[in-house]
Amino acid sequence: MKIEYYHASEYGNGAKVAEEFKRIMATKGIVVNVHHVREVKPREIPAADLYLFSSPGRMGKPIGGMRRFLKKINLPSESRYAILVTEMNPQPDKKTGRMPTEEELGRCQLVIPKMNEILQAKGFKKVADGKIYVTGIKGPLEEGWQGKVEEFVSVILSSS
Ligand SMILES: Cc1cc2nc3c(=O)[nH]c(=O)nc-3n(C[C@H](O)[C@H](O)[C@H](O)COP(=O)(O)O)c2cc1C
């Protein structure tokens, strides 16, 4: 299995996640080629068994560079993809101290849904999506993030 991994990391957290994903996959004999979206042309993506897309959040959406990249790719329909985003961890309300509910979060955090929307409109097939939190606006990654990447790898491998 060959995986092409495209990320749009701005502060390095998503890039770390990509390297960890690649490291774990290598222990299973699977090759992962990691690229920043800035370094590649969206219309020149090589053939792969799975495409991994990873974006940081920006105002509830994927960062602009990733949105533009996804809109331009022209892979065969039915191409298999997975999404692994980095998002800010949910914060308690400043006045009440109450944590937002899943429903409230879902209304303002549309990073994964927006990416799925663009990819599914092209006929691509989702294998998995997931998120790793950062604990500050520019990082660092949440404690135990490597374990979450490992779980994500397991989900992908069990659906292959
Ligand atoms: C201007 C700005 C807006 C952001 N908006 C969001 C947001 O709406 N949702 C979210 O989860 N994270 C948001 N973040 C935090 C990013 O998720 C975080 O910077 C990113 O995950 C870090 O990954 P990177 O180091 O790979 O860039 C924002 C960060 C910045 C700088």
Side-chain angles (χ1 to χ4, degrees):
M1 177 151 90
K2 180 175 159 246
I3 301 177
E4 296 290 330
Y5 191 124
Y6 297 90
H7 71 83
S9 176
E10 195 72 26
Y11 304 113
N13 301 281
K16 271 193 197 165
V17 169
E19 285 310 316
E20 181 66 5
F21 180 90
K22 177 179 172 148
R23 189 191 68 74
I24 299 169
M25 282 293 187
T27 67
K28 324 260 178 211
I30 295 168
V31 176
V32 181
N33 297 315
V34 176
H35 320 263
H36 195 289
V37 292
R38 272 198 293 259
E39 292 155 7
V40 287
K41 294 203 170 78
R43 296 193 201 280
E44 292 176 12
I45 292 185
D49 303 296
L50 178 72
Y51 299 92
L52 207 311
F53 300 107
S54 173
S55 178
R58 281 295 180 282
M59 309 300 165
K61 293 184 188 154
I63 199 166
M66 176 56 78
R67 290 207 304 276
R68 287 190 290 278
F69 183 84
L70 294 181
K71 283 180 184 160
K72 283 186 194 155
I73 56 178
N74 58 348
L75 296 163
S77 70
E78 309 270 313
S79 292
R80 296 167 73 245
Y81 75 92
I83 291 173
L84 184 55
V85 302
T86 55
E87 284 185 8
M88 186 77 191
N89 65 342
Q91 302 290 315
D93 184 283
K94 284 197 180 92
K95 282 186 196 146
T96 62
R98 186 177 69 82
M99 287 300 284
T101 62
E102 282 295 315
E103 198 195 337
E104 285 162 346
L105 283 171
R107 266 186 255 130
C108 57
Q109 283 286 41
L110 297 171
V111 188
I112 293 176
K114 288 278 172 202
M115 292 172 78
N116 274 321
E117 194 182 299
I118 300 170
L119 293 165
Q120 286 174 8
K122 292 173 188 275
F124 302 163
K125 299 288 167 229
K126 183 175 81 176
V127 170
D129 57 29
K131 61 180 79 166
I132 310 277
Y133 288 127
V134 293
T135 56
I137 193 104
K138 298 180 180 178
L141 290 160
E142 63 181 315
E143 211 173 296
W145 65 273
Q146 291 97 334
K148 282 182 86 173
V149 179
E150 192 145 17
E151 271 172 40
F152 192 71
V153 165
S154 304
V155 172
I156 287 178
L157 294 180
S158 63
S159 65
S160 298

